[in-house]
Amino acid sequence: MPRSAPPPALLAPGYQERVFWQTQATPPVIDPHGLPASTDVVIVGAGYCGLSAARELGRRGRSVVVVEQDPIGVGASTRNGGMVLPELKAGPAALEHKYGAVGRHLYAEVNDAFDHVEALIADEAIDCDYHRGGQLYLAHNRAHVPGLQAMVAEHGGELGEPVYWVPADELGDEIGSRAFHGGVVLERSGGLHPARYHAGLARLALAAGADLHDRTTAISLARRSGPAGGFDLTTNRGSVVARHALVATNAYADGLVPWLRRRVVPVGSYIIATEVLDPEVARSVSPRNRMLVDTKNFLFYWRLSPDGRVLFGGRRSLAPASIPEARDFLYSAMVRLHPQLRGTRLEHAWGGNVAVTLDRMPHFGQIPSGAAAGAWFATGCNGSGVALNTWLGAQAAAVIGGAPPPAFADISFPAVPAHALRAAYLPVVGQWFGYQDRRP
């Protein structure tokens, strides 16, 4: 039986279906100019990964061209929740059980990615409102409590990380909600303004000598024949020959590299932003200004913005949704979890895509077959890409320079079964996930 629609959200007079973060950031102006005939490295995608790679390549003395189909600063890198989390969907013990010694390296690299972003922001003085406030991972039902307590034992006890359990009767010091059955605090997490961070990366790439071309759609990428090798990239604004290529499109993989497209599922995620709250109300929602995430399959993630709003994100299912549909669902959930926000109006609502892989793992490597064989790729951060994509971009630059690839290159990258039919079967999978989420 279909679920009834939630009541409409309360909207402020100036409400916009526009990304809140983008209203507070000024990306660099990219002057339209022609593509060069050749370059050392060509990068497709000007998100965190592509810009990070371009910056590092430029610092290493390489010529680099970055092409981006949209205006700079409108993609997923400026649409997310701005959470800097050193996480994978599996813990260190599970990773080691599945991948052996490689699993230990995978976990270490995720922590390296977090450290990399913190150091980058500090060393380059990127003005992006970064703060290490920690993450609070909340049990949405009692069945998840033992698993979260085991997480604390593994991370806090065995690994000595700053991770600890907060029982339900003590959660009031962490969150202004009675809807949860306990939570885990992970101190090594932070939040930033994603659009300002992205603009900072773009400026760093330009300062390092990268040649950025937005509104430039990659049409084909093909390996050149002959002993010199390299790649031909054809775009709507001309072509360029490159010795190396990096595809950094993440959730927006298209027909450019069919092998990659068959391994990434773009899943919609949506965020609402309230009006600026009274400071006391904001503190009542999140007294310690944590990054807040729950344990559902269709999880909610929320936080305070630097200017004192609640940003609340998630999705209801794997079926397509309009912005108004997602907005009303998220608003209803937000005020259910935080009754003190009843009557609060929304000023923004928007959506974007998350790159989901079949094994819920990020992947790095070279395209093994097809026209673009030999091109490097990095993708599939499954909703935790602020730190990982930045780090993977820097790693790609190092690998192109001759360094060994990261451990994410050592795990197989499974294709999504019946990828062409996913629009038909994903809603059914989503119904099962939703049923699991509603179980007590």
Side-chain angles (χ1 to χ4, degrees):
M1 187 173 182
R3 289 170 287 178
S4 59
L10 293 179
L11 306 181
Y15 165 80
Q16 303 175 71
E17 288 183 6
R18 183 182 176 191
V19 182
F20 160 70
W21 300 119
Q22 293 174 6
T23 68
Q24 295 188 335
T26 305
V29 175
I30 308 300
D31 294 327
H33 58 288
L35 289 167
S38 63
T39 186
D40 288 335
V41 185
V42 66
I43 298 172
V44 182
Y48 297 142
C49 180
L51 292 176
S52 177
R55 167 187 174 269
E56 187 60 32
L57 286 163
R59 284 160 47 93
R60 291 167 178 256
R62 298 292 189 110
S63 60
V64 55
V65 169
V66 182
V67 299
E68 167 59 49
Q69 67 177 357
D70 295 314
I72 195 78
V74 304
S77 292
T78 62
R79 294 174 175 269
N80 60 79
M83 298 184 177
V84 187
L85 310 177
E87 68 173 11
L88 295 171
K89 301 306 178 185
L95 289 170
E96 186 170 358
H97 176 76
K98 183 173 182 178
Y99 300 110
V102 171
R104 293 194 297 272
H105 293 299
L106 294 172
Y107 184 71
E109 288 180 352
V110 170
N111 282 280
D112 289 344
F114 177 77
D115 293 337
H116 173 78
V117 169
E118 284 200 327
L120 177 64
I121 292 169
D123 294 346
E124 299 290 353
I126 300 176
D127 182 12
C128 62
D129 301 295
Y130 177 74
H131 75 285
R132 188 197 277 205
Q135 176 190 357
L136 180 62
Y137 190 30
L138 293 152
H140 83 280
N141 64 23
R142 289 185 179 86
H144 282 85
V145 168
L148 293 188
Q149 291 175 328
M151 174 192 292
V152 171
E154 180 179 19
H155 288 262
E158 298 172 18
L159 300 176
E161 296 175 356
V163 176
Y164 55 90
W165 172 250
V166 182
D169 59 1
E170 296 178 17
L171 273 179
D173 291 335
E174 293 283 348
I175 183 172
S177 175
R178 298 183 178 181
F180 301 101
H181 301 273
V184 176
V185 171
L186 301 100
E187 295 285 5
R188 275 176 51 82
S189 300
L192 50 67
H193 191 300
R196 290 176 178 164
Y197 176 61
H198 180 266
L201 285 179
R203 291 188 176 90
L204 290 174
L206 288 168
D211 187 7
L212 271 57
H213 296 258
D214 64 355
R215 298 175 174 86
T216 304
T217 302
I219 297 171
S220 67
L221 178 65
R223 187 164 188 86
R224 295 169 63 85
S225 60
F231 297 88
D232 288 315
L233 178 72
T234 302
T235 78
N236 63 321
R237 296 176 57 193
S239 300
V240 60
V241 175
R243 293 176 60 194
H244 305 275
L246 169 65
V247 180
T249 51
N250 208 34
Y252 295 84
D254 53 22
L256 182 70
V257 182
W259 182 90
L260 193 58
R261 186 180 188 181
R262 291 192 296 270
R263 285 160 171 77
V264 177
V265 177
V267 174
S269 190
Y270 305 88
I271 302 179
I272 55 176
T274 69
E275 58 197 341
V276 176
L277 303 176
D278 178 276
E280 288 301 317
V281 175
R283 279 192 290 271
S284 78
V285 170
S286 182
R288 301 183 187 274
N289 201 11
R290 306 282 197 198
M291 302 294 107
L292 307 170
V293 183
D294 71 18
T295 52
K296 298 193 308 300
N297 291 305
F298 293 127
L299 58 81
F300 294 129
Y301 54 97
W302 66 111
R303 57 169 292 188
L304 298 178
S305 67
D307 63 352
R309 308 164 190 266
V310 169
L311 273 66
F312 192 90
R315 67 184 68 85
R316 184 174 191 169
S317 71
L318 293 178
S322 68
I323 299 296
E325 289 170 337
R327 174 199 68 205
D328 292 349
F329 166 69
L330 291 172
Y331 183 84
S332 177
M334 180 183 73
V335 297
R336 174 173 54 82
L337 297 179
H338 294 285
Q340 66 269 49
L341 294 179
R342 292 190 186 279
T344 300
R345 299 173 299 181
L346 300 183
E347 291 192 353
H348 296 269
W350 69 95
N353 287 331
V354 173
V356 175
T357 56
L358 187 65
D359 58 1
R360 306 301 302 278
M361 292 290 289
H363 290 274
F364 179 93
Q366 288 179 288
I367 307 297
S369 60
W376 293 97
F377 70 87
T379 192
C381 292
N382 295 275
S384 300
V386 177
L388 265 174
N389 268 323
T390 304
W391 182 80
L392 285 170
Q395 291 297 301
V399 170
I400 289 170
F408 290 104
D410 295 331
I411 60 177
S412 62
F413 194 176
V416 176
H419 186 272
L421 302 176
R422 68 186 189 278
Y425 68 73
L426 281 179
V428 178
V429 175
Q431 289 178 357
W432 169 245
F433 286 163
Y435 166 73
Q436 291 179 314
D437 288 343
R438 292 189 296 273
R439 293 175 65 185

